[in-house]
Each structure stands twice: as structure tokens, then as C-alpha cells.
Amino acid sequence: MKTYRHDVVVHWGDTDPAGIVFYPNYFEWFDQSTRLFWDSLGLDWDSLAKKYGIVGLPIIEAKARFIAPSMFRDEIVVETHISKWNDKTFEVSHAVLNRGVRAVEGYEIRVWAQKRPDDPGRLKAVPIPEEIKAAFE
Amino acid sequence: MKTYRHDVVVHWGDTDPAGIVFYPNYFEWFDQSTRLFWDSLGLDWDSLAKKYGIVGLPIIEAKARFIAPSMFRDEIVVETHISKWNDKTFEVSHAVLNRGVRAVEGYEIRVWAQKRPDDPGRLKAVPIPEEIKAAFE
Amino acid sequence: MKTYRHDVVVHWGDTDPAGIVFYPNYFEWFDQSTRLFWDSLGLDWDSLAKKYGIVGLPIIEAKARFIAPSMFRDEIVVETHISKWNDKTFEVSHAVLNRGVRAVEGYEIRVWAQKRPDDPGRLKAVPIPEEIKAAFE
Amino acid sequence: MKTYRHDVVVHWGDTDPAGIVFYPNYFEWFDQSTRLFWDSLGLDWDSLAKKYGIVGLPIIEAKARFIAPSMFRDEIVVETHISKWNDKTFEVSHAVLNRGVRAVEGYEIRVWAQKRPDDPGRLKAVPIPEEIKAAFE
């Protein structure tokens, strides 16, 4: 099973008056890591759009548990892997490591979706092709 | 049970190339609404720090389900209430309404914590006073 | 000469470990105020695109002077007006007032531009119609 | 004269519905690059605070000219150098290069300041030591 490592530097503007990372930033880093992971396998959204007619990988759920704070100048790693394949959705899990300690863990659930032929303003979830799942093994 | 309504305007910079809100922003609006809710009851963090020796209301978990996208110029409402009191933590639930439709729903779990007397760099969860819970009824 | 007032609440996530607003946020509030100002006069970018073929109001320059810090919970006002009309560009000035004190002042220069007929990927500045200028008097 | 190069990846969340970087992000990258530059020379703010009694490097002015847009997935470089030393302030200039093209250029003016002995809530600009200036040659 493939894992992606996304290195992130905690900048001054990412932290709050308590001196720690303001929590929505972790979700921004999750989103980045998911995208970089897929790109690293040649599965960028533009290519997927052309080949499968899907529209990005829309998010339908996100969750994080904050175990230990990270601070200005910390160099953290977001470790990302696909933790579950469903028929039309998948769960991508993220763990933030700070000096080897698990600081945050969470996941995103994203959907494999196309525009509805009868109403392009709306999306329709469709089954994820097997070769996509295989690419992450 | 009290509910707080936080009005949010979706600005250009909150949206992404798909024309919809970039999802970490919802957590930022959750955080804002929790703070405004407590402030609106006279329970701002500075007063709580003085009276109870706690340090803000650190977050330990956050989750959201994204049901419908919101777009540039949408005027949305974050409806916030305390959905569960535990001994030392509580869950604050948020629903984002867009033109009356439930667009996002989620929660934060936050902890009632003081600095450890023996190690002020670390926090210790302590029981939430009954009068705090009563203030939200 | 018309002026727009954009009320902004400084939230926890807008501030840094020094307890003051992280400066890029001011530019975000400038951008918001410019948009709200034009919208308030019925000159939203979608209507302008349809009527004049322009593409938003692309920014070509932005500047701010930071005179006094603003802090968590401060309720500030961004006062915005068009400070200069050029042939194909205009300058929109912003002053941030905090409790009546001028805390920040700055401007944006934006361009009135259409897609090039021969190369839609590139923009071409064109003269600003007189009725647009007149709408701000 | 020393120059610092700060590599930045343009992420999905940095871009707007026009598909280009939302401009306040450039100032965030300027701020990051200034900090990383000083850190790279052993002149981090904590050390400077201890040795010289200064409080970070507060910003008093920032400006940018936007020459060409950057897009999702672009890998840009912020090139940073000290462009001017004044007695109590300095100007740090930033150029954003995208595929070798100058996409944005700007500067920040920051002040060498200590807390006032009589009023620690306010700052007082003091002369920049010569050895600080020399460190950037």
C-alpha cells in the first residue's frame, strides 16, 4: 500500500496568539497532501477529467483529532494513504508527525463523480474504476 | 438550549477554481462561531482564564460533512449549539445554512483545561463547572 | 465622491503569536471591500462582464502602510473610495479605522481589461467608460 | 549581497475562481521568505530578542506589483534580499519568479524596535546595529 509524505514548514502566519497552529490549517495541509499524492502517481485531476469524465475529487467529509500542538518553525510531515475504498467514494487518511510524534490524525472522504448529463450543474457519484484502486497498492 | 447564529459572507478569496468554498474555511467559520457564542454569554476566554484558570478552549477534534457547495457572494449562516457536555470536554455542533438549505454540518470537541502546576508547558483537563453548563440552557 | 464602509471583526485565526493581525489579512479585507463597494452600486463583475466584456477587475498593484496594530476581537472598519481614475486603470484607496484611529492605509490599482480576441488567454487593458467613473461620484 | 530563495508550490487553496493565485497569498509568501532569510543567517527573532531586546521585526509597509498570474501547481521562487538599510528601518525586496519569468515584485519595510521602558505596550524604533547590516553583505 502506497504512502505519500508531504513536508510542511509551520510559518508564523499559521500560528495563533497561543503560539500554536490554528487548526483549520491542518485541513489545508490534508488537502494539499491528497492532491500531491494523486499527482505523484500520474493521477492528476486534469488527466482524470479527460479519461474518466470526473470533476476533481469533491470532498464530502473531513475529520481530525488534535493530539499535540505544533508551533512556529516546526517542520512536520503529513503522511497520507488511502485507508478505504468504497464503491463510489474513498477515505484518505492523514497523520501529522512532528519530531516523530503523532501530532494530528484525520481523514477526508472524497467522491468519484461526474456531471449529470441532464443537469451539468449537479454531480452524480459513479463507481471507482479498479485500475485506480490498483494504482495505490 | 441556546443557539448562536453567525452570519458569514462568502468572499472571492474563500472560493477555489471550482467556484466553491475551499473546505478548510468552514472550520475557520466554526471556530469563529464557537468564540462568538461564548462571548455573547459573557463567557469570553479572558474572563474564564481569570475566574477558572483555564487556557482558552483547546480543540481536540473537529469534523464536517459537506452536503452542498456554497459559492462566491452566498450569505450563509453558521448555527451553533452545545450538543454534548462531558465531564471535562464538550461538543459544539455547527450547521451551515445556505438559503435555508443545510449545506454543511459538523462539530468541534473542546476541552476545559488548566496548565499543570508542575509543568506549565502542559495542560491538564479538569471538570467543567456546572454553572458553565447551565449558562447554555 | 462615494465611500464604502466594510465592517470587519478580527477573529482569533486572523492574529499571530504577537497577538496582532497577521498583515496579509489586511489585503484580503481590501479585496473584499473593493468587491462589496462595486456590488453595492450594481456594478458586480458578472454584470460588467456581460455589458462590457471585461474580466473582473484584475489587480496590478497593492500597497499598505501599517500604522497601529489591531487585535483579536477588535471591530474595525475598512473605508474605501476610488482615489484616482486613469484611462485604463484606477486606484481604490482603503483606510482601516480601529476605534476611530487610522490603523492601516493602502490602495489597490486595478485594470479594466478584456480578453484579447486573438489570444483569449491574455488580457488587454481598454479605456474605462465614463458612466462607470460617474457612478462613483 | 546575500539573496535568499524560497521555493513555493501553488496549491489549489491558494487560487481563486479565475484559476490564479489570490493576491494576499503573495504577501504571506513574502513574510515567510523574510523570516527564513534571517533564520538562515542565524538571525532568528528569538535570538535577536535576547541579544538586542527587539521584538520581532514589525512591518510598517508592504507593496507588490502583479506582473503575471501564477496558477495551481506552479512551482515558484521568491527571491529575497535587503534592498535598503535605513537608520532604524530596512527594506526587504521580493521577486516572484515563475518558470524564470518575473511574475510579482514587491517589498516590505520593517522596523528595528524595542518595547518602551516606560510603556511596554508600545514600541520604540532604535538604530540597527552595524553587525546586523554586515551579516547580509
Side-chain angles (χ1 to χ4, degrees):
Chain A
M1 187 192 61
K2 294 201 177 84
T3 295
Y4 187 83
R5 291 171 55 90
H6 173 34
D7 294 311
V8 172
V9 173
V10 175
H11 290 290
W12 179 257
D14 301 322
T15 57
D16 66 17
I20 63 176
V21 170
F22 181 56
Y23 88 81
N25 286 301
Y26 290 111
F27 290 102
E28 200 158 333
W29 297 327
F30 287 180
D31 183 82
Q32 293 173 4
S33 196
T34 297
R35 191 272 295 180
L36 290 166
F37 188 19
W38 285 65
D39 278 15
S40 74
L41 299 172
L43 301 171
D44 60 280
W45 304 338
D46 296 333
S47 302
L48 295 175
K50 264 178 221 151
K51 185 159 179 194
Y52 299 102
I54 62 160
V55 287
L57 293 171
I59 192 156
I60 55 174
E61 191 172 310
K63 180 180 172 180
R65 290 203 320 117
F66 309 99
I67 303 162
S70 293
M71 311 208 173
F72 175 43
R73 287 197 178 91
D74 284 352
E75 301 186 359
I76 61 179
V77 182
V78 183
E79 284 192 354
T80 297
H81 70 281
I82 308 291
S83 43
K84 193 173 180 193
W85 291 106
N86 301 310
D87 185 33
K88 301 173 181 176
T89 64
F90 63 94
E91 182 187 270
V92 50
S93 285
H94 307 279
V96 175
L97 303 179
N98 191 346
R99 296 155 208 254
V101 174
R102 203 173 177 84
V104 177
E105 56 189 23
Y107 66 78
E108 301 171 303
I109 299 179
R110 292 174 178 267
V111 61
W112 192 262
Q114 301 172 334
K115 293 186 181 183
R116 286 173 181 271
D118 54 325
D119 181 358
R122 296 182 60 208
L123 299 180
K124 188 179 69 150
V126 291
I128 302 171
E130 288 307 315
E131 70 262 28
I132 295 293
K133 300 180 186 176
F136 289 88
E137 275 167 18
Chain B
M1 188 193 60
K2 295 199 177 84
T3 294
Y4 187 83
R5 292 171 55 90
H6 173 35
D7 295 311
V8 172
V9 174
V10 176
H11 290 292
W12 179 257
D14 300 323
T15 57
D16 66 18
I20 63 176
V21 170
F22 180 56
Y23 88 83
N25 287 300
Y26 289 111
F27 290 101
E28 200 159 333
W29 297 327
F30 286 1
D31 183 82
Q32 292 173 5
S33 196
T34 297
R35 191 272 295 181
L36 291 165
F37 188 18
W38 284 65
D39 278 16
S40 74
L41 299 172
L43 301 171
D44 60 279
W45 304 339
D46 296 334
S47 302
L48 295 175
K50 264 178 219 149
K51 187 161 180 192
Y52 299 102
I54 62 158
V55 287
L57 294 171
I59 192 155
I60 54 173
E61 190 172 309
K63 180 179 171 181
R65 289 204 318 118
F66 309 100
I67 303 162
S70 293
M71 311 207 172
F72 175 43
R73 287 198 178 90
D74 282 353
E75 301 186 359
I76 61 180
V77 183
V78 183
E79 284 193 355
T80 297
H81 71 281
I82 308 290
S83 43
K84 193 172 180 194
W85 291 106
N86 302 310
D87 186 32
K88 302 172 181 178
T89 64
F90 63 94
E91 182 186 271
V92 49
S93 286
H94 307 278
V96 175
L97 303 179
N98 190 347
R99 297 155 207 253
V101 174
R102 202 172 178 84
V104 178
E105 57 188 23
Y107 66 79
E108 301 171 304
I109 300 179
R110 292 174 179 267
V111 61
W112 192 262
Q114 300 171 336
K115 293 186 182 185
R116 286 173 181 271
D118 55 326
D119 181 359
R122 295 182 59 208
L123 299 180
K124 189 178 69 149
V126 292
I128 302 170
E130 289 306 315
E131 71 262 27
I132 295 294
K133 300 179 186 177
F136 290 87
E137 274 166 19
Chain C
M1 188 193 62
K2 295 201 177 81
T3 294
Y4 188 83
R5 291 172 54 90
H6 174 33
D7 294 311
V8 172
V9 174
V10 175
H11 290 291
W12 180 256
D14 300 323
T15 57
D16 65 18
I20 63 176
V21 170
F22 180 56
Y23 88 82
N25 287 300
Y26 289 111
F27 290 102
E28 199 158 334
W29 297 328
F30 286 1
D31 182 82
Q32 292 173 3
S33 196
T34 297
R35 191 272 295 180
L36 290 166
F37 187 19
W38 284 65
D39 277 15
S40 74
L41 299 172
L43 301 170
D44 60 279
W45 304 338
D46 295 333
S47 302
L48 295 176
K50 264 178 221 150
K51 187 160 179 194
Y52 299 102
I54 62 160
V55 287
L57 293 171
I59 192 156
I60 54 173
E61 189 172 309
K63 180 179 172 182
R65 289 203 321 117
F66 309 100
I67 303 162
S70 293
M71 311 207 173
F72 174 44
R73 287 198 179 90
D74 283 352
E75 301 186 359
I76 61 180
V77 183
V78 183
E79 284 192 355
T80 297
H81 71 282
I82 308 290
S83 42
K84 193 173 179 193
W85 290 106
N86 301 310
D87 185 33
K88 302 174 181 176
T89 64
F90 63 94
E91 183 187 89
V92 49
S93 286
H94 307 279
V96 175
L97 304 178
N98 190 348
R99 296 155 209 255
V101 174
R102 202 172 177 86
V104 177
E105 56 189 22
Y107 66 78
E108 301 171 304
I109 299 179
R110 292 174 179 267
V111 61
W112 192 263
Q114 300 172 336
K115 293 186 181 183
R116 285 173 182 270
D118 55 326
D119 182 357
R122 296 181 60 208
L123 299 180
K124 187 179 71 149
V126 292
I128 302 171
E130 289 307 314
E131 70 263 27
I132 295 293
K133 301 180 185 177
F136 289 87
E137 277 167 16
Chain D
M1 188 193 61
K2 295 201 175 83
T3 295
Y4 187 83
R5 290 171 55 91
H6 174 34
D7 294 312
V8 172
V9 173
V10 175
H11 290 291
W12 179 255
D14 301 323
T15 56
D16 65 18
I20 63 175
V21 170
F22 180 56
Y23 88 81
N25 286 300
Y26 289 111
F27 291 102
E28 199 159 334
W29 298 327
F30 286 0
D31 183 82
Q32 293 173 4
S33 196
T34 297
R35 191 273 294 181
L36 290 166
F37 188 19
W38 285 64
D39 278 16
S40 74
L41 300 172
L43 301 172
D44 60 279
W45 304 339
D46 296 332
S47 302
L48 295 175
K50 266 178 217 148
K51 186 159 180 194
Y52 299 102
I54 62 159
V55 288
L57 293 171
I59 192 156
I60 55 174
E61 191 172 310
K63 180 178 171 181
R65 289 204 319 119
F66 309 100
I67 303 163
S70 293
M71 311 207 174
F72 175 44
R73 287 198 178 92
D74 283 353
E75 301 186 359
I76 61 179
V77 183
V78 183
E79 284 193 355
T80 297
H81 70 281
I82 308 291
S83 43
K84 193 172 180 194
W85 291 106
N86 301 309
D87 185 33
K88 303 174 181 176
T89 64
F90 63 95
E91 183 186 270
V92 50
S93 285
H94 307 278
V96 175
L97 303 180
N98 191 347
R99 296 156 208 254
V101 174
R102 203 173 177 85
V104 177
E105 56 189 22
Y107 66 79
E108 300 171 303
I109 299 179
R110 291 173 179 268
V111 61
W112 192 263
Q114 300 172 336
K115 292 186 182 185
R116 286 174 182 270
D118 55 325
D119 182 358
R122 296 181 60 208
L123 299 180
K124 188 178 70 149
V126 292
I128 302 172
E130 289 307 315
E131 72 262 27
I132 295 293
K133 299 179 186 178
F136 289 87
E137 277 168 15

